[in-house]
């Protein structure tokens, strides 16, 4: 009798996570956006800043048009790291209308080349926008350094 109860208990413990995983997968699939990538069309999905100075933020506005038949709702726009910021419209974009997503890269303390992405999730699909460039290091100080050969004590 103990073996039967133990076997039943073991079966329940092993089967419960598998059943819970199936329910979670079904919920995730229900949240997935409809796939219609042509409904939202960006003028450009990649922007190259070229060489920019260290200090001020590098900003760009990605403009898009709703080519679909239903309003576009931007559910979220997620940046790859904390050095990149974004802002996007929170109201639905009507068919035929344009909107924009603003991207800003903080250059201070980040010299060298960079490539950052913004993943935009909408009710019609997902798009990945990219900003890239090269940050030129700012001068260390405005006072000229002493390059003379004479030693001072």
């Amino acid at each position: 009798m103990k073996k039967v109860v133990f076997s039943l208990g073991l079966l329940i413990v092993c089967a419960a996570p598998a059943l819970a995983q199936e329910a979670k997968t079904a919920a995730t699939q229900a949240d997935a956006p409809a796939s219609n990538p042509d409904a939202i069309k960006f003028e450009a999905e990649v922007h190259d800043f070229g060489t920019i100075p260290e200090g001020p933020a590098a900003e760009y506005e990605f403009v898009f048009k709703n080519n679909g038949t239903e309003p576009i709702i931007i559910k979220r726009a997620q940046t790859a790291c904390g050095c990149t910021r974004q802002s996007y419209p929170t109201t639905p974009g009507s068919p035929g209308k344009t909107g924009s997503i603003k991207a800003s890269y903080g250059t201070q303390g980040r010299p060298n080349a960079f490539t950052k992405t913004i993943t935009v999730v909408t009710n019609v699909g997902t798009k990945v926008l990219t900003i890239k460039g090269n940050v030129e290091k700012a001068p260390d100080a405005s006072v000229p350094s002493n390059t003379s050969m004479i030693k001072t004590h």
Side-chain angles (χ1 to χ4, degrees):
M1 181 69 178
K2 287 182 181 181
K3 288 182 180 180
V4 172
V5 171
F6 177 74
S7 297
L8 224 84
L10 185 60
L11 179 67
I12 290 172
V13 169
C14 291
L19 293 174
Q21 185 64 31
E22 288 176 21
K24 186 175 182 180
T25 303
T28 303
Q29 289 173 348
D31 288 343
S35 181
N36 184 3
D38 297 329
I40 185 169
K41 178 69 176 165
F42 283 88
E43 289 179 1
E45 293 183 22
V46 177
H47 178 71
D48 188 348
F49 288 105
T51 301
I52 53 177
E54 179 182 4
E59 298 178 344
Y60 183 74
E61 193 169 339
F62 290 96
V63 177
F64 64 88
K65 183 176 181 182
N66 181 350
N67 292 329
T69 57
E70 61 183 66
I72 290 180
I73 301 167
I74 298 177
K75 295 180 179 181
R76 68 179 179 276
Q78 187 165 345
T79 59
C81 70
C83 58
T84 308
R85 301 204 185 282
Q86 45 63 30
S87 64
Y88 57 91
T90 56
T91 57
S94 300
K97 301 292 182 182
T98 60
S100 66
I101 296 175
K102 296 176 185 171
S104 175
Y105 177 73
T107 63
Q108 186 66 43
R110 296 183 182 96
N112 297 320
F114 69 92
T115 300
K116 302 296 176 184
T117 59
I118 301 168
T119 304
V120 181
V121 179
T122 71
N123 61 320
V124 295
T126 300
K127 293 280 187 176
V128 178
L129 307 175
T130 305
I131 56 173
K132 61 184 179 176
N134 186 31
V135 178
E136 189 174 71
K137 184 167 176 47
D140 288 333
S142 58
V143 178
S145 61
N146 184 1
T147 58
S148 73
M149 300 293 286
I150 302 172
K151 290 186 178 180
T152 57
H153 295 268

